[in-house]
């Protein structure tokens, strides 16, 4: 008890010169709360037998508390998971030109829904509709908050109390609880499944389309592949069948690149233009998957169907904000010059980074990696690895890459989780991937400009 009376009071600590600068930076309330919390903790540990800390140590502890408290929750991280479009790490990283467009839209008033020609009210979709028509060949377009919202709005507008005919092989679940059957039910539509998991034929659709059918739908199986004895009906055939029966044919593409990725050695992924040319009446896709832009849901297709969708009151609830639209316009604009896309669209630049360049980066970083792990019972090395595209895009394809690797000496798998945690607690957290008793940091997404900062951070892992 006697010891406790020697603890400085809250006011005494706050009068310390070094806490003055904390107060002028963060305000009196934050700092005095931290002082009170620190003193309360110290009192408990002194009661439990710990020594009384010196004033200097108390102040340092208060400074750490304030720093932790004020740090934004949305922290930048190094995505070295090997998954380029990582949903939990924010999907596509935006190019600088797109970031500038967001900042311009945020900083000053902008003509979001204002027609500068006439001075009348404008339509926010007009900001990107021209670009989307040009890039997809569709007659009209509209934008909502994400692709899940796009699918929901489409189904709710066109299929409420009606039936949607879809193949059993395409009842997709996307991470984060987006399931095609659930979204259909919530949209008020009835799912009519046809065919089997592995094989669906045109006659299956033909038999299922009836008086209550609102549409024939195709869902791109973006996060899995059915292989072996399989059959699916081509979009052009489905479109023809739907049109002959007087109903629209719609496609949920999920990821939606606007160009043929094969020209850069990437696997083929269907584009909205392919679907429109095959006769699809509406196509939905994401803004932040292969497109490489902001989170958004894009609907393109026939003018009268888009007009109907825009009249649904839920459109107002699901619409995109000005920052999204600014980012989307700037991203789409890059597609006007496809030749330079791999240099200008960050997501594509990362996906097309040559293996040799990543390996050279791994070799440059190896000494820092080895030094960082010197006190750990781990072997530090570099090794070839395979990156994934992510976000459900092209699930079976892998991109050759290179990784910094840590392997336990002997049977000590627990140590990998300690290392994983230490990496996560660095000033800029480093997120890697553990598999097969190995921790890998895939360097595909490590910007060469960030390499120095990354290596410097590693030093604090040493023990
Ligand atoms: C990713 C995906 C969605 C959901 O898109 P979000 O933009 O994440 O909302 C819907 N359908 C398919 C086929 C997808 O791949």
């Amino acid at each position: 008890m006697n010891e406790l009376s020697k603890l400085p009071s809250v006011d005494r600590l706050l009068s310390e010169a070094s806490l003055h600068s904390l107060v002028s930076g963060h305000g009196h309330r934050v700092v005095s709360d931290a002082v009170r919390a620190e003193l309360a903790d110290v009192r408990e540990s002194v009661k439990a037998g710990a020594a009384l800390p010196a004033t200097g140590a108390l102040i340092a502890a208060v400074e750490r508390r304030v720093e932790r408290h004020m740090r934004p929750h949305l922290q930048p991280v190094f995505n070295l998971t090997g998954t380029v479009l990582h949903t939990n790490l924010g999907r596509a990283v935006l190019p600088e030109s797109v970031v500038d467009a967001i900042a311009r839209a945020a900083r000053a008033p902008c003509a979001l829904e204002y027609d500068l020609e006439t001075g009348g009210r404008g339509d926010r979709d007009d900001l990107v509709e021209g670009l989307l028509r040009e890039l997809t060949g569709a007659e009209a377009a509209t934008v909502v908050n994400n692709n899940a919202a796009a699918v929901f709005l489409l189904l709710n507008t066109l299929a409420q109390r009606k039936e949607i005919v879809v193949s059993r092989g395409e009842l997709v679940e996307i991470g984060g609880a987006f399931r095609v059957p659930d979204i259909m039910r919530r949209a008020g539509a009835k799912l009519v499944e046809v065919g089997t998991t592995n094989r669906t034929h045109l006659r299956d659709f033909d038999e299922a389309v009836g008086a209550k059918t609102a549409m024939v739908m195709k869902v791109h199986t973006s996060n899995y592949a059915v292989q072996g004895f399989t059959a699916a009906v081509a979009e052009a055939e489905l479109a023809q069948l739907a049109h002959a029966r007087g109903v629209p044919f719609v496609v949920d593409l999920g990821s939606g690149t606007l160009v043929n990725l094969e020209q850069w050695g990437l696997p083929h992924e269907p584009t909205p233009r392919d679907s429109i040319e095959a006769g699809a009446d509406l196509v939905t896709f994401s803004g932040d998957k292969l497109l490489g832009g902001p989170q958004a849901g894009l609907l393109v297709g026939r003018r009268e169907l888009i007009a109907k969708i825009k009249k649904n009151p839920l459109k107002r609830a699901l619409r995109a904000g000005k920052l999204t639209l600014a980012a989307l316009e700037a991203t789409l604009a890059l597609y006007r010059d496809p030749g330079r896309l791999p240099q200008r669209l960050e997501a594509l630049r990362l996906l097309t980074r040559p293996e040799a360049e990543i390996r050279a980066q791994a070799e440059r970083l190896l000494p820092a990696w080895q030094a960082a792990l010197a006190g750990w019972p781990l072997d530090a090395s570099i090794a070839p690895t395979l990156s994934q595209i992510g976000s459900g895009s092209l699930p079976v394809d892998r991109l050759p890459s290179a990784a910094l690797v840590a392997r336990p000496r002997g049977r000590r798998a627990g140590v990998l989780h300690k290392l994983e945690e230490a990496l996560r607690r660095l000033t800029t957290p480093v997120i890697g991937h553990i598999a097969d008793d190995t921790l890998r940091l895939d360097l595909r997404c490590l910007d060469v400009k960030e390499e120095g900062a990354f290596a410097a951070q590693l030093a604090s892992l040493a023990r």
Side-chain angles (χ1 to χ4, degrees):
M1 276 307 124
N2 207 18
E3 279 292 281
L4 281 182
S5 65
K6 292 185 204 150
L7 261 185
S9 68
V10 173
D11 288 339
R12 189 32 260 303
L13 268 185
L14 281 173
S15 68
E16 290 283 337
S18 45
L19 288 191
H20 285 175
S21 67
L22 265 195
V23 170
S24 57
H26 303 289
H28 185 269
R29 162 97 149 274
V30 167
V31 181
S32 57
D33 284 354
V35 166
R36 256 186 285 277
E38 183 60 27
L39 286 174
D41 279 4
V42 166
R43 244 176 250 122
E44 287 308 308
S45 48
V46 170
K47 273 187 211 157
L52 206 62
T55 305
L58 271 176
I59 288 170
V62 169
E63 284 169 343
R64 279 197 301 276
R65 256 178 208 275
V66 170
E67 194 272 327
R68 261 203 316 274
H69 183 65
M70 299 306 286
R71 199 187 296 157
H73 286 90
L74 190 54
Q75 275 193 72
V77 302
F78 286 111
N79 171 15
L80 306 189
T81 59
T83 300
V84 177
L85 300 168
H86 196 300
T87 296
N88 302 346
L89 301 180
R91 290 198 184 158
V93 171
L94 300 178
E96 238 11 84
S97 64
V98 174
V99 173
D100 290 345
I102 296 172
R104 273 196 307 277
R107 206 174 277 128
C110 56
L112 177 63
E113 290 185 348
Y114 186 83
D115 186 336
L116 290 169
E117 293 293 323
T118 64
R121 193 170 194 281
D123 178 340
R124 64 179 65 204
D125 283 336
D126 290 350
L127 300 170
V128 291
E129 188 176 37
L131 271 162
L132 282 168
R133 288 174 48 186
E134 185 183 318
L135 295 167
T136 65
E139 289 173 3
T142 183
V143 181
V144 289
N145 187 44
N146 54 34
N147 187 41
V151 174
F152 178 76
L153 186 63
L154 181 162
L155 300 181
N156 180 264
T157 308
L158 302 178
Q160 214 176 8
R161 289 186 289 277
K162 289 192 179 164
E163 296 176 353
I164 302 168
V165 181
V166 61
S167 160
R168 281 208 170 83
E170 298 174 358
L171 301 175
V172 183
E173 174 181 310
I174 315 292
F178 176 90
R179 290 173 151 190
V180 167
D182 296 345
I183 207 105
M184 287 185 178
R185 193 171 330 111
R186 284 290 179 153
K190 182 160 179 268
L191 167 64
V192 176
E193 305 171 27
V194 300
T196 60
T197 308
N198 56 329
R199 292 174 69 84
T200 304
H201 307 280
L202 192 60
R203 63 171 183 276
D204 297 324
F205 285 95
D206 194 40
E207 285 161 13
V209 175
K212 291 195 199 129
T213 304
M215 64 178 68
V216 173
M217 185 173 190
K218 185 169 181 67
V219 182
H220 182 50
T221 58
S222 49
N223 55 3
Y224 65 98
V226 182
Q227 284 172 332
F229 185 56
T230 64
V233 186
E235 289 185 357
E237 287 181 84
L238 286 176
Q240 218 168 26
L241 171 85
H243 296 158
R245 310 291 285 271
V247 294
F249 170 55
V250 311
V251 180
D252 174 22
L253 267 189
S255 206
T257 175
L258 296 169
V259 286
N260 180 359
L261 295 175
E262 287 165 304
Q263 60 188 303
W264 299 294
L266 290 168
H268 177 77
E269 175 82 5
T271 65
R273 186 182 284 280
D274 295 337
S275 301
I276 295 286
E277 282 175 1
D281 300 288
L282 284 170
V283 184
T284 60
F285 53 103
S286 285
D288 57 351
K289 293 185 179 173
L290 279 173
L291 188 75
Q295 180 189 304
L298 296 97
L299 287 127
V300 302
R302 287 226 323 266
R303 190 172 294 110
E304 68 275 17
L305 295 178
I306 294 286
K308 242 186 190 171
I309 286 169
K310 288 176 71 159
K311 284 205 198 92
N312 186 333
L314 284 173
K315 167 65 171 44
R316 173 64 176 74
L318 302 173
R319 72 183 183 184
K322 66 176 178 178
L323 303 185
T324 298
L325 288 164
L328 188 60
E329 182 180 15
T331 305
L332 293 173
L334 298 176
Y335 280 86
R336 283 182 158 153
D337 185 3
R340 282 196 289 166
L341 261 187
Q343 290 87 55
R344 297 168 77 194
L345 187 68
E346 186 61 10
L348 189 59
R349 187 185 72 79
L350 294 173
L351 290 171
T352 55
R353 262 188 95 191
E355 182 187 4
E357 183 191 309
I358 308 171
R359 192 177 336 114
Q361 188 175 25
E363 278 157 14
R364 286 195 298 277
L365 287 167
L366 181 61
W369 181 234
Q370 284 169 327
L373 298 192
W376 295 70
L378 291 163
D379 286 322
S381 62
I382 58 179
T385 190
L386 293 170
S387 316
Q388 305 189 36
I389 295 172
S391 269
S393 317
L394 314 160
V396 279
D397 295 291
R398 297 282 190 277
L399 312 170
S401 182
L404 300 175
V405 171
R407 261 193 208 94
R409 266 179 237 123
R411 290 234 217 105
R412 308 177 64 165
V415 71
L416 280 185
H417 292 280
K418 289 233 165 61
L419 177 62
E420 185 264 339
E421 184 185 340
L423 287 164
R424 220 174 343 109
R425 292 188 191 287
L426 291 171
T427 310
T428 303
V430 173
I431 317 294
H433 183 71
I434 297 179
D436 310 325
D437 288 332
T438 307
L439 181 137
R440 286 187 185 79
L441 303 180
D442 183 333
L443 298 177
R444 172 173 297 277
C445 296
L446 180 62
D447 201 316
V448 173
K449 293 193 292 293
E450 306 274 2
E451 210 176 289
F454 171 78
Q457 267 205 144
L458 288 183
S460 66
L461 293 176
R463 58 182 200 187

